[in-house]
Amino acid sequence: LNQMRSNPLDWRIEDLEVVAKHFGIEYRQHRTSHVTFRFPIPLPVPAARLIKPMYVRLFVGRMDEVKR
């Protein structure tokens, strides 16, 4: 999570899934091009290729809210 915070470039959806699983955040992908992370406000993230830094920043921000 700290690495994502300091450098939001070049992350894959599998990396976000590992972090979410570690912190007990549920996620799902049912026949769509997005993985939805189940925060209090769901966060859909495109699953194709590298994730845009905007989505990584949103993910890190939501993780910070949950960890408080």
Side-chain angles (χ1 to χ4, degrees):
L1 192 57
N2 287 331
Q3 289 176 336
M4 288 179 182
R5 185 178 289 110
S6 65
N7 182 14
L9 299 172
D10 301 327
W11 294 97
R12 297 188 170 276
I13 197 67
E14 295 84 8
D15 301 319
L16 272 63
E17 291 172 349
V18 167
V19 172
K21 189 179 291 187
H22 177 76
F23 288 102
I25 303 298
E26 295 180 22
Y27 57 89
R28 65 186 177 107
Q29 180 180 12
H30 292 292
R31 293 183 238 143
T32 67
S33 61
H34 289 65
V35 173
T36 302
F37 293 92
R38 309 291 289 225
F39 295 102
I41 298 172
L43 176 64
V45 178
R49 300 190 197 123
L50 295 176
I51 299 170
K52 292 183 179 180
M54 171 189 73
Y55 290 106
V56 175
R57 288 187 194 106
L58 286 170
F59 179 82
V60 168
R62 300 261 175 103
M63 289 299 301
D64 289 341
E65 291 174 8
V66 169
K67 287 176 36 181
R68 288 186 205 167

